Amino acid sequence: MTNIAVFASGTGSNFLAILDAIENKELDLHCALLVSDKPQSLVVERAKQRGVKTLAITPKSFPSKTAYEATILEHLKKHHVSFLALAGYMRLIGPTLLQAYPRRIVNIHPSLLPSFKGLDAVGQAMSAGVKVTGVTIHYVDEGMDTGEIIAQESLDISNLTTREHIETAIHTIEHQLYPKTLASILKEDL
Ligand code: GRF
């Protein structure tokens, strides 16, 4: 059985979708750890409620990013984690974790990359006035949302007038696409 860790900083709806897919046997893996850089975030609370071990440490309490990631890496090794899924983790992954997990780190982003990288992709899409946006799952490299694209799903937003409507529709896509894509990557690669 593959042990994964989910990295998240926010509310954790994608994290819950992954846990649900595991419980429903759509995803044959074990979520060994939830890693968060925000100890107060809702996702940490949700992980505890669902019985998932958590590592919630803020980078501010470490002398460097390298030291921060080295501590995360120790815990990942202790839990025999072989794959990392970022789900709303609001930090760039550094060389320490990238070298330890080559082509074994993926991220979900709420736009059709390479459009609207970085923060507030939905807001960027609205300001640009595009009629179609979507969701991308990609491998993580040293850049911001620049790694090789694995899967995408588009969303017609021409009739969605508010940010709330767009975000709800994006989340609905994400909660299906992420577990489905993880299942196919893990079947092929591991
Ligand atoms: C998602 O929209 C994801 O694409 C982005 O951050 C958001 C996280 O949402 N990277 P949640 O915390 O999973 O609800």
Side-chain angles (χ1 to χ4, degrees):
M1 169 91 62
T2 304
N3 281 335
I4 71 157
V6 175
F7 281 46
S9 312
T11 58
S13 70
N14 281 283
F15 166 67
L16 292 184
I18 292 169
L19 291 187
D20 288 345
I22 294 171
E23 272 182 26
N24 298 336
K25 312 247 183 276
E26 291 156 24
L27 205 44
D28 185 22
L29 51 79
H30 172 61
C31 182
L33 197 62
L34 180 277
V35 177
S36 183
D37 58 329
K38 297 226 162 67
Q40 308 306 326
S41 58
L42 182 58
V43 68
V44 174
E45 193 51 43
R46 285 177 148 171
K48 288 179 180 162
Q49 280 166 6
R50 296 285 290 255
V52 176
K53 292 200 172 70
T54 59
L55 174 66
I57 48 174
T58 165
K60 282 187 207 137
S61 46
F62 291 83
S64 64
K65 181 164 182 151
T66 305
Y68 171 65
E69 288 200 343
T71 298
I72 294 176
L73 186 55
E74 259 174 47
H75 285 80
L76 296 174
K77 285 184 174 160
K78 195 174 95 189
H79 291 284
H80 307 288
V81 168
S82 59
F83 195 92
L84 313 183
L86 312 189
Y89 184 65
M90 304 303 282
R91 275 177 198 281
L92 283 178
I93 298 291
T96 306
L97 290 175
L98 286 171
Q99 281 160 24
Y101 290 92
R103 259 179 106 78
R104 291 287 180 276
I105 311 177
V106 298
N107 180 43
I108 186 162
H109 184 76
S111 77
L112 292 178
L113 290 173
S115 293
F116 313 132
K117 296 183 179 101
L119 288 178
D120 192 19
V122 169
Q124 291 184 55
M126 291 176 78
S127 307
V130 295
K131 303 292 180 201
V132 176
T133 184
V135 173
T136 302
I137 293 164
H138 63 93
Y139 287 109
V140 171
D141 63 13
E142 62 288 340
M144 176 150 344
D145 304 320
T146 50
E148 182 188 328
I149 292 169
I150 304 165
Q152 291 187 305
E153 194 167 319
S154 60
L155 172 70
D156 181 346
I157 56 169
S158 51
N159 293 318
L160 301 179
T161 44
T162 66
R163 172 187 279 269
E164 201 192 343
H165 286 141
I166 297 173
E167 283 178 346
T168 302
I170 290 267
H171 270 120
T172 302
I173 292 175
E174 289 187 333
H175 298 163
Q176 293 166 13
L177 189 65
Y178 212 1
K180 194 173 91 182
T181 305
L182 285 173
S184 66
I185 298 169
L186 296 172
K187 203 160 87 185
E188 281 167 26
D189 279 15
L190 297 178

